[in-house]
Amino acid sequence: MLKAGVLSDGDLSVSDNGSVQGSVASPVLANIFAHYAIDIWIRDMVSPAVKGNIQMVRYADDLVILVNKNDASRVMVALKKRLERFSLILNEDKTKTVSFSRNDMKKGIEQGTFKFLGFLFYIGKSKKSKLIIKIKTYNKTFKNKINEITIWCRENRNKYRLAFLWKTFQSKIRGHINYYGVSHNFRSVKIFVDKATRIFFKWINRRSQKRSYEWDKFDLFMKAFPLPKAEIVHRLF
């Protein structure tokens, strides 16, 4: 795979450096690389050196480091130096130190938020007014997912029969629920399902000049072939 090269417009280009962009080998090698460059380093070198506890969550090249605020700046500096040793750099636009403490928030100190894997993490109040960690679909991610549904409906409405389109749409909705259906995020998932359904209805009625469905008829169709319902699939807290 590393020696295969890239074929573009009939021209083959081969490089001795790195892996081919788009190759399935790339994320595997990157994950192994990051395991030794970051994961083990955090566990064996950084953890004993900080005053408080430290935890890290990493998915591919996205990571969140949870550390005492007094150690945060030291860890940030050390991480940059560590990555430089492996010819890697932090994305300054996406890297930041966030104050995230329920105790500080109780004292009236405003706390930050952070985005990770399509979710926004923030501190909010429970139904009993207790400060808890909450998660919801990140606004930009939500808009992008809605836009993807719109593009798919528009581009495929005349390519396939309704039965196939609806079955595929059901799968897309199920996938969204299975990923974003986490604690405290039910409302966002429910809104997505409702909006996506309206978008499907809109574009299915543009398959021809004649309107295919009125909403009442479409509602009966959905009752006969129901969509997956919005739900909390993963209870994290």
Side-chain angles (χ1 to χ4, degrees):
M1 289 183 180
L2 296 177
K3 298 178 181 179
V6 178
L7 186 64
S8 178
D9 297 327
D11 295 324
L12 177 66
S13 60
V14 180
S15 174
D16 293 329
N17 297 322
S19 59
V20 177
Q21 185 176 4
S23 168
V24 294
S26 296
V28 175
L29 291 173
N31 211 36
I32 295 172
F33 192 87
H35 175 67
Y36 287 96
I38 303 174
D39 303 354
I40 292 179
W41 174 72
I42 289 283
R43 185 193 67 193
D44 295 346
M45 301 297 292
V46 180
S47 182
V50 297
K51 296 178 181 179
N53 295 324
I54 183 171
Q55 295 289 336
M56 185 190 72
V57 180
R58 181 179 65 81
Y59 183 86
D61 60 349
D62 285 335
L63 61 91
V64 174
I65 298 176
L66 311 170
V67 67
N68 187 287
K69 62 182 178 181
N70 296 322
D71 293 316
S73 58
R74 293 173 55 228
V75 171
M76 179 71 81
V77 172
L79 179 61
K80 289 181 180 180
K81 291 181 179 179
R82 176 68 176 179
L83 294 179
E84 287 173 0
R85 289 186 56 189
F86 294 88
S87 300
L88 300 173
I89 58 173
L90 284 176
N91 186 326
E92 297 291 346
D93 294 331
K94 296 182 179 180
T95 304
K96 62 179 180 178
T97 302
V98 177
S99 179
F100 204 76
S101 167
R102 284 173 288 188
N103 290 332
D104 284 349
M105 195 165 183
K106 289 177 182 177
K107 299 174 184 177
I109 303 173
E110 186 177 353
Q111 299 301 291
T113 64
F114 64 92
K115 171 185 171 288
F116 187 56
L117 303 181
F119 293 98
L120 182 73
F121 290 74
Y122 63 104
I123 298 176
K125 289 185 177 181
S126 68
K127 293 180 179 179
K128 296 182 179 180
S129 296
K130 291 184 178 180
L131 293 177
I132 59 175
I133 296 173
K134 289 191 169 186
I135 308 173
K136 67 178 181 179
T137 309
Y138 186 56
N139 288 341
K140 186 175 180 181
T141 301
F142 184 93
K143 292 177 182 178
N144 288 342
K145 294 298 179 182
I146 287 294
N147 189 49
E148 288 175 8
I149 288 291
T150 301
I151 293 172
W152 177 81
C153 289
R154 184 178 66 232
E155 293 182 349
N156 291 280
R157 67 188 191 276
N158 289 318
K159 292 182 180 180
Y160 308 100
R161 292 181 178 274
L162 177 60
F164 178 83
L165 290 172
W166 185 248
K167 186 175 182 179
T168 305
F169 182 68
Q170 287 174 314
S171 296
K172 290 179 179 293
I173 295 298
R174 187 179 301 108
H176 187 92
I177 294 172
N178 286 340
Y179 184 86
Y180 291 98
V182 302
S183 304
H184 311 307
N185 199 37
F186 175 81
R187 182 174 179 273
S188 179
V189 172
K190 180 67 166 58
I191 291 173
F192 177 86
V193 174
D194 292 343
K195 284 193 173 184
T197 303
R198 292 283 179 178
I199 290 169
F200 186 92
F201 174 72
K202 169 187 173 181
W203 286 104
I204 207 67
N205 272 308
R206 296 189 177 184
R207 285 156 65 93
S208 64
Q209 293 182 347
K210 183 180 179 181
R211 190 176 180 87
S212 302
Y213 280 99
E214 296 295 336
W215 181 258
D216 291 345
K217 185 179 178 182
F218 185 67
D219 190 45
L220 290 174
F221 172 81
M222 289 193 294
K223 289 179 180 178
F225 306 98
L227 282 173
K229 292 184 178 180
E231 62 175 323
I232 300 301
V233 180
H234 310 286
R235 298 192 178 276
L236 307 178
F237 306 105

